[in-house]
Amino acid sequence: MDDTKDFGTPKKNNTKTINLTVDGFPVSVPEGTSIMRAASEAGIGVPKLCATDSVDPFGSCRLCLVEIEGKRGYPASCTTPVAEGIQVKTQTPKLEELRRGVMELYISDHPLDCLTCATNGDCELQDMAGAVGLRDVRYGYEGENHLDSKKDESNPYFSFDPSKCIVCSRCVRACEEVQGTFALTIDGRGFESKVSAGNKDFIDSECVSCGACVQACPTATLIEKSIIDNGVPDRSVTTTCAYCGVGCSFNAEIQGDKVVRMTPNKDGGANHGHSCVKGRFAWGYTTHKDRITSPMIRKSIKDPWQKVSWEEAISYAASEIKRIQSKHGGDSVGAISSSRCTNEEVYVVQKLVRAAFGNNNIDTCARVCHSPTGYGLKQTLGESAGTQTFDSVQKSDVIMIIGANPTDGHPVFASQMKRRLRDGAKLIIVDPREIDLVDNSVHIKADYHLKLKPGTNVATINALSHVVVTENLIQNDFIKERCDLESFEIWKEFVSLEKNSPEALEQETGISAKIVRDAARLFASENNGAIYYGLGVTEHSQGSTMVMGIANLAMATGNVGREGVGVNPLRGQNNVQGACDMGSFPHEFPGYRHVSDSTTRSSLENAWDVKLQGEPGLRIPNMLDEAISGKFKALYCEGEDIAQSDPNTQHVTHALESMECVIVQDLFLNETAMYAHVFLPGSSFLEKNGTFTNAERRISPVRKVMEPKNGYEDWEITVMLSNALGYPMKYKHASEIMDEVARLTPTFKGVSYKKLDELGSIQWPCNDESPKGTPTMHIDEFVRGKGKFFVTEYVPTSEKVNGKFPLIMTTGRILSQYNVGAQTRRTSNVKWHDEDLVEIHPHDAEERGIIENDWVGITSRSGETVLRAKITEKVQPGVVYTTFHHPESGANVITTDNTDWATNCPEFKVTAVQLTKVSELSTWQNQYKDFSKKQINLVKKDDIKVD
Amino acid sequence: MEKDHLITMANQIGSFFKSYPDQEYAANEIASHMKRFWAPKMRNMIKDIVATSDADSLDDIVRIAIKKYL
């Protein structure tokens, strides 16, 4: 289906079909379909202005009038549903006359600047004037009009020009129905009616800049500034967003080789035509002046960088790896890949490590985010992945969100979730903070907010499970048929213990026992209960235990294996799922097969023509520890910035300084690159072919929109390095890498670029049994056979508050910025968040004499940093919160090296700290500023530039 | 890798499995976890630790797991 075609009203999915004729042509459509859509599906366009298929019909513009044989009047085709046997006429002399009259009125209060208008040739008002044959406007501009209305240019990405507004309400309805923010309204009545962002400029309003209003606008009223600056695009390439784990499909709209706009793809399986401020607008980093496009090398991190040819850079990197392995042993080198890379890129990096380095020292940034998900879900359900599609939420009756903030971290999915909540689903939130969904104005309000103390997740899930078991709310039939009964009985006995009751744990968790009991009863009593969780679950010393606790609860309540239910990890970055799938962990080959599995190893050895190691390699923290011990000497780091993203920054930078060769492949001279000896410039997502796999296991194509500004796609650089190391890789195109993945990985057996082109995206497993993919997992049977329950003893973290460090600091992210901020900091998104702040409860602030915007010193057992204070009741007393999007904030200077027991995922969410009012930056921050400045000065200015 | 850090990691693994009523099963699972996720060098180090006085820093079940199953 052509995703750019607008059918006027949304698709209906009723099974009953209605037959009618439109202009004499027979048409069959699902019951409930509008006449407008029925006509459009038959290829007959009915003129329209206020209708668009992303929002419900409104019937205000009166342009889409039709005649129905035997019926009086001229009904609006957008709001009139089809009926059996009706005969519709869309073109009659009377209809033409009526439409011309309507258009004449619209045009009489619209600037006639079409030739110089930014949307000339891409304007529905202009198109409709043509479609209805408007030739004259009898009404002059002498009367009252809106032509002098003031533009609102406050948003960095789009302009609002009320003089061009026809008050069709498409923007208002998009803001409500698609985004769910309700920031826009129609203010005033009659002639005074106008679109208003709450009587404020857009930038100061509740608008979240998702772009839904701009997308819906049929005129140039709401328009991208990039289109005003550049004009309309001349071609478009469908690709996948490189930000969060939602994995939105976008059309990159281009003039020549210049992207002028990114618009959400209506056929996108994850986003269905919606977007957020990052994917829609924040792509300018791809051509930011900070980008480095030439390879560079240096002997020491104190030396200036030397710009060299690709041949020289690769040859130098390879010779260093060989030298170090020869001197310090084969295990003295390793690599870290990133979830920001494509599947194909991370696949070749892990292959390089296993085949060319000859060890299993490969890890990925999932180590510091969702590694507990991989472990916990594999143990309990049998597969290291979420169980559902995003669309599944539309069938949920009760939604439990644990340790996630979807409106900020996964905004497009949050909009879909909010739609379901507005339609009546119940909501339970388990979070130390009052996230937006707790009380999102009158539209969304959580039924229960379990405002737990950071670090007590496992106690909370045990208390919820205790209620479910002891009040006999479990689904016995499901358990008997689907689960391992021995493990269930052990778990049942464990959670039934009095120590796991809500009352016994009340003081530990900080949640009233009654709320826990009520929430558990609600979750267990509704038909379809779905759990969504994020890093607030995984980034704890008991992250893996908590994931298993969630799976236990889902199985006990029978909430796995159909739509509307499930265990749903909200993955942080675009390709966390894919990076894990592709074998980026030191203990697993692609497809989550352990390196000790001799059958898999033998199959890979035959295909790769090399002997592989059967023992696990080093994880990121192990590599860093070994570097400090002098045993790990060289690192190839692609797309990841461990010096900013990983905990205990001082430890990380000490480890990097201890290595003899650090090779960084990235778009920018990131924090890690400042400790590097070889810099290999990377390509942006617009400059390469590949695939990303989102949180719902959806493999989506990343398509090359323009040639790489650095000369090569990232997988090509890894291939060059492998070849230089003496292990030949012969891929000519990214598709050949995916073909190899499919050949060697059972869950990807049916995946190919050809099929991706045909289907748009594919949710794995995709194989002979499921050739078009698997939207819902564990139907009828768990991947591991019987679902296994695990005992989840609550073990309090060793990171304790005391008199010296009396507060708990937890971390998170905000809507406008993305992770370490390397991309979003280089866009106009800084307008919303140009520095990280520390949130503190008014009570704690008052005790310390801290007022809004004060400089506050944050001290932990690991270090100290200084941020400005934001006083808010969103955090509870005793808890402070910050983001980590700006390197100079040093959020990870404070975090400790405590980790999850099973996976070594850092305990980012719990750090004991003290806050004091200060007047200057911390020692670390001053040192960082000096070091950073020196490092930037070691790059010749000419080398940091992109045209 | 620092000895103390490894001991902490080993005890953390122990703290998950020791809740199982069957302590033999728990010990086996502790060792199995180390085999599946720890690099050989780390396993050798922890085995060496068990042979020294530092073994006292390990929980009983972890010590048993390492001696018997690793």
Side-chain angles (χ1 to χ4, degrees):
Chain A
M1 189 177 282
D2 176 8
D3 91 281
T4 58
K5 180 169 178 175
D6 186 347
F7 292 88
T9 64
K11 186 179 181 182
K12 299 292 177 186
N13 292 315
N14 294 333
T15 46
K16 187 177 175 189
T17 299
I18 301 292
N19 303 295
L20 66 156
T21 64
V22 180
D23 294 340
F25 293 97
V27 185
S28 298
V29 289
E31 187 176 31
T33 301
S34 70
I35 289 176
M36 175 182 280
R37 184 164 185 118
S40 187
E41 285 186 8
I44 298 166
V46 182
K48 63 180 180 60
L49 278 172
C50 73
T52 185
D53 58 13
S54 61
V55 294
D56 286 337
F58 194 54
S60 79
C61 76
R62 312 309 296 168
L63 206 61
C64 69
L65 309 178
V66 291
E67 292 180 20
I68 301 173
E69 190 74 30
K71 304 272 182 188
R72 291 176 60 192
Y74 307 95
S77 63
C78 64
T79 51
T80 308
V82 293
E84 189 62 37
I86 60 170
Q87 297 170 31
V88 178
K89 288 182 184 169
T90 70
Q91 295 292 342
T92 68
K94 184 63 186 171
L95 290 172
E96 286 166 11
E97 182 193 337
L98 288 170
R99 287 175 187 152
R100 268 198 297 275
V102 169
M103 275 308 296
E104 199 177 355
L105 287 169
Y106 276 123
I107 298 299
S108 72
D109 191 7
H110 191 86
L112 297 178
D113 62 352
C114 288
L115 288 179
T116 53
C117 178
T119 58
N120 186 19
D122 187 22
C123 170
E124 289 183 45
L125 189 69
Q126 191 180 43
D127 293 345
M128 290 305 112
V132 304
L134 183 70
R135 297 291 174 264
D136 296 309
V137 176
R138 289 167 289 170
Y139 320 110
Y141 286 139
E142 295 78 20
E144 270 195 291
N145 59 49
H146 299 86
L147 300 183
D148 293 329
S149 303
K150 189 170 166 262
K151 277 189 195 178
D152 176 355
E153 301 277 12
S154 62
N155 188 289
Y157 295 118
F158 60 83
S159 162
F160 173 59
D161 182 356
S163 75
K164 294 184 173 173
C165 180
I166 58 171
V167 202
C168 65
S169 280
R170 273 165 63 162
C171 56
V172 176
R173 287 177 287 145
C175 190
E176 293 173 2
E177 296 174 30
V178 179
Q179 166 56 27
T181 293
F182 295 77
L184 302 180
T185 186
I186 300 291
D187 225 23
R189 302 181 68 176
F191 181 80
E192 299 300 325
S193 304
K194 62 175 184 182
V195 170
S196 165
N199 281 321
K200 293 176 179 169
D201 281 346
F202 269 80
I203 197 72
D204 298 321
S205 73
E206 290 178 9
C207 168
V208 292
S209 299
C210 68
C213 58
V214 181
Q215 193 71 5
C217 182
T219 69
T221 308
L222 283 157
I223 183 173
E224 299 89 351
K225 287 183 176 172
S226 61
I227 294 296
I228 294 174
D229 292 343
N230 296 289
V232 293
D234 52 43
R235 68 187 174 98
S236 154
V237 176
T238 301
T239 188
T240 303
C241 179
Y243 283 119
C244 78
V246 177
C248 295
S249 179
F250 273 90
N251 294 319
E253 299 186 353
I254 311 152
Q255 277 178 346
D257 68 347
K258 183 179 187 179
V259 173
V260 295
R261 178 165 62 187
M262 295 284 284
T263 53
N265 174 13
K266 266 185 358 186
D267 291 340
N271 59 319
H272 304 295
H274 191 34
S275 57
C276 80
V277 62
K278 295 189 284 285
R280 178 75 153 90
F281 296 116
W283 36 269
Y285 71 88
T286 57
T287 51
H288 192 274
K289 63 180 176 53
D290 286 354
R291 207 173 140 188
I292 299 178
T293 54
S294 303
M296 305 185 298
I297 59 172
R298 58 181 177 178
K299 285 278 183 201
S300 150
I301 66 166
K302 291 177 182 163
D303 294 340
W305 284 102
Q306 289 180 303
K307 184 174 166 179
V308 294
S309 67
W310 272 106
E311 291 72 22
E312 195 175 344
I314 293 290
S315 164
Y316 180 72
S319 69
E320 279 295 276
I321 289 167
K322 284 182 189 169
R323 176 186 70 76
I324 287 166
Q325 284 194 300
S326 152
K327 187 174 166 191
H328 300 283
D331 290 339
S332 61
V333 304
I336 299 171
S337 64
S338 171
S339 302
R340 286 188 277 183
C341 301
T342 63
N343 284 320
E344 293 72 6
E345 288 159 4
V346 291
Y347 178 85
V348 292
V349 172
Q350 64 86 33
K351 183 174 174 181
L352 168 99
V353 169
R354 301 188 202 283
F357 288 6
N359 62 43
N360 285 324
N361 293 339
I362 170 68
D363 210 352
T364 184
C365 58
R367 176 67 53 212
V368 298
C369 68
H370 266 288
S371 51
T373 289
Y375 177 81
L377 297 187
K378 180 92 173 174
Q379 296 290 311
T380 49
L381 310 181
E383 193 57 281
S384 301
T387 60
Q388 310 297 121
T389 63
F390 287 140
D391 289 353
S392 161
V393 78
Q394 296 303 334
K395 295 192 176 170
S396 298
D397 299 308
V398 56
I399 297 166
M400 188 185 294
I401 302 173
I402 311 177
N405 187 4
T407 53
D408 282 35
H410 304 85
V412 171
F413 172 64
S415 291
Q416 191 172 5
M417 185 186 269
K418 284 193 285 186
R419 209 172 307 141
R420 177 67 198 122
L421 291 167
R422 289 198 302 275
D423 286 345
K426 307 286 188 201
L427 177 62
I428 300 165
I429 292 177
V430 184
D431 202 292
R433 283 178 76 234
E434 195 170 300
I435 61 169
D436 266 4
L437 288 174
V438 168
D439 191 0
N440 193 292
S441 71
V442 294
H443 311 288
I444 306 289
K445 192 170 172 61
D447 294 272
Y448 297 103
H449 179 199
L450 279 56
K451 204 170 183 175
L452 76 177
K453 291 180 190 168
T456 62
N457 282 339
V458 173
T460 304
I461 203 80
N462 286 346
L464 289 164
S465 298
H466 176 91
V467 177
V468 168
V469 168
T470 57
E471 297 189 11
N472 199 22
L473 302 171
I474 54 176
Q475 292 294 317
N476 283 309
D477 291 347
F478 179 90
I479 294 163
K480 203 171 166 188
E481 186 189 337
R482 302 284 308 271
C483 301
D484 175 77
L485 294 180
E486 188 185 347
S487 69
F488 170 70
E489 289 301 332
I490 295 171
W491 173 77
K492 185 180 166 187
E493 191 174 328
F494 164 74
V495 292
S496 301
L497 296 172
E498 178 54 26
K499 69 175 182 179
N500 290 319
S501 71
E503 290 74 18
L505 290 165
E506 195 168 37
Q507 194 161 1
E508 188 69 23
T509 62
I511 317 165
S512 99
K514 183 178 184 311
I515 289 182
V516 174
R517 285 198 178 272
D518 289 348
R521 288 168 190 151
L522 172 64
F523 185 75
S525 61
E526 295 283 342
N527 277 340
N528 285 342
I531 304 175
Y532 292 85
Y533 71 88
L535 304 182
V537 159
T538 55
E539 290 176 342
H540 286 273
S541 59
Q542 283 202 288
S544 293
T545 313
M546 182 60 182
V547 172
M548 289 188 272
I550 289 171
N552 288 340
L553 180 62
M555 288 189 290
T557 52
N559 279 312
V560 189
R562 62 182 186 278
E563 285 188 292
V565 299
V567 180
N568 302 277
L570 293 171
R571 306 285 189 160
Q573 301 200 78
N574 48 327
N575 201 34
V576 180
Q577 182 69 58
C580 300
D581 300 342
M582 293 296 108
S584 304
F585 284 136
H587 66 285
E588 280 173 340
F589 291 128
Y592 302 101
R593 294 166 295 171
H594 199 268
V595 290
S596 64
D597 169 2
S598 55
T599 308
T600 301
R601 203 168 63 247
S602 168
S603 140
L604 294 175
E605 284 175 343
N606 285 336
W608 295 351
D609 194 22
V610 69
K611 184 82 184 150
L612 299 173
Q613 297 292 323
E615 290 282 1
L618 298 172
R619 298 166 171 179
I620 294 171
N622 307 148
M623 291 182 204
L624 300 176
D625 289 346
E626 284 290 272
I628 290 170
S629 304
K631 311 274 173 44
F632 186 85
K633 291 291 185 181
L635 175 70
Y636 172 42
C637 184
E638 182 179 329
E640 190 53 13
D641 193 1
I642 55 171
Q644 190 183 341
S645 65
D646 286 33
N648 196 347
T649 306
Q650 305 88 310
H651 182 73
V652 177
T653 53
H654 181 198
L656 290 168
E657 283 172 326
S658 305
M659 295 183 207
E660 291 179 12
C661 181
V662 175
I663 304 162
V664 167
Q665 188 170 318
D666 206 281
L667 299 180
F668 305 105
L669 193 76
N670 63 19
E671 304 308 308
T672 308
M674 293 186 188
Y675 296 88
H677 307 86
V678 179
F679 184 86
L680 304 174
S683 51
S684 81
F685 79 110
L686 295 170
E687 300 160 13
K688 61 175 94 172
N689 289 301
T691 53
F692 292 147
T693 306
N694 76 353
E696 41 166 13
R697 295 168 281 104
R698 185 183 301 279
I699 308 159
S700 298
V702 176
R703 296 193 176 94
K704 191 194 272 191
V705 171
M706 59 181 76
E707 287 306 309
K709 296 201 179 297
N710 56 327
Y712 294 99
E713 300 181 40
D714 283 283
W715 64 266
E716 292 179 293
I717 299 165
T718 306
V719 164
M720 287 193 287
L721 183 59
S722 188
N723 290 339
L725 283 164
Y727 180 76
M729 292 190 192
K730 294 172 181 169
Y731 312 108
K732 295 284 184 290
H733 189 273
S735 62
E736 294 175 13
I737 302 171
M738 182 52 80
D739 290 343
E740 181 175 308
V741 172
R743 272 199 307 278
L744 299 174
T745 316
T747 42
F748 278 68
K749 188 180 176 191
V751 179
S752 68
Y753 277 34
K754 184 169 176 285
K755 194 182 278 185
L756 284 166
D757 286 343
E758 287 165 9
L759 301 179
S761 59
I762 300 168
Q763 287 173 273
W764 68 260
C766 175
N767 45 29
D768 293 342
E769 295 78 45
S770 308
K772 290 188 174 181
T774 310
T776 307
M777 289 194 82
H778 311 295
I779 295 174
D780 299 329
E781 188 182 32
F782 286 102
V783 170
R784 72 180 304 284
K786 297 287 186 187
K788 187 171 179 182
F789 286 81
F790 278 79
V791 170
T792 54
E793 184 80 61
Y794 168 57
V795 181
T797 171
S798 60
E799 180 67 5
K800 308 253 188 241
V801 292
N802 59 17
K804 195 173 175 192
F805 304 110
L807 303 168
I808 288 286
M809 186 185 82
T810 187
T811 60
R813 65 177 82 172
I814 60 150
L815 171 65
S816 59
Q817 295 287 344
Y818 179 66
N819 273 17
V820 295
Q823 293 144 287
T824 43
R825 277 187 281 112
R826 293 178 170 97
T827 70
S828 295
N829 280 25
V830 290
K831 188 152 188 175
W832 288 280
H833 184 88
D834 60 355
E835 65 177 326
D836 295 313
L837 305 170
V838 58
E839 291 186 2
I840 177 169
H841 189 272
H843 173 74
D844 292 324
E846 192 182 351
E847 260 188 0
R848 290 163 178 77
I850 295 167
I851 59 170
E852 184 84 5
N853 231 20
D854 268 352
W855 283 114
V856 175
I858 312 168
T859 315
S860 75
R861 293 180 178 96
S862 293
E864 184 188 6
T865 196
V866 171
L867 298 173
R868 286 191 190 278
K870 182 179 177 185
I871 318 281
T872 173
E873 290 187 0
K874 283 193 170 186
V875 290
Q876 52 185 293
V879 176
V880 297
Y881 167 86
T882 189
T883 49
F884 52 91
H885 303 302
H886 295 266
E888 63 274 19
S889 301
N892 282 323
V893 171
I894 317 165
T895 51
T896 68
D897 48 15
N898 278 9
T899 62
D900 169 50
W901 67 270
T903 66
N904 282 149
C905 180
E907 191 178 39
F908 284 122
K909 302 295 183 184
V910 184
T911 307
V913 296
Q914 175 61 293
L915 265 60
T916 46
K917 191 171 170 174
V918 296
S919 55
E920 58 183 27
L921 295 178
S922 71
T923 307
W924 179 87
Q925 282 168 309
N926 283 319
Q927 286 169 348
Y928 167 79
K929 277 173 77 174
D930 287 347
F931 178 74
S932 181
K933 192 175 169 187
K934 274 182 197 155
Q935 283 298 319
I936 288 167
N937 286 336
L938 292 175
V939 183
K940 286 180 195 159
K941 283 206 169 58
D942 287 353
D943 295 339
I944 310 182
K945 192 167 62 184
V946 150
D947 291 327
Chain B
M1 181 161 296
E2 285 179 16
K3 230 167 21 184
D4 291 349
H5 192 192
L6 213 59
I7 290 169
T8 303
M9 286 169 63
N11 283 338
Q12 274 189 296
I13 296 168
S15 71
F16 178 78
F17 290 106
K18 72 181 176 190
S19 314
Y20 275 85
D22 181 345
Q23 292 294 288
E24 203 61 31
Y25 167 83
N28 201 340
E29 287 296 307
I30 292 167
S32 169
H33 187 91
M34 289 176 180
K35 280 184 204 161
R36 288 184 71 77
F37 297 101
W38 283 22
K41 190 175 171 184
M42 293 162 69
R43 301 204 304 262
N44 290 335
M45 261 185 89
I46 202 76
K47 282 199 252 187
D48 290 346
I49 287 169
V50 167
T52 68
S53 58
D54 291 322
D56 294 344
S57 306
L58 289 167
D59 286 348
D60 290 348
I61 194 162
V62 176
R63 217 165 35 238
I64 292 166
I66 294 165
K67 276 185 181 167
K68 203 165 171 185
Y69 295 109
L70 193 62

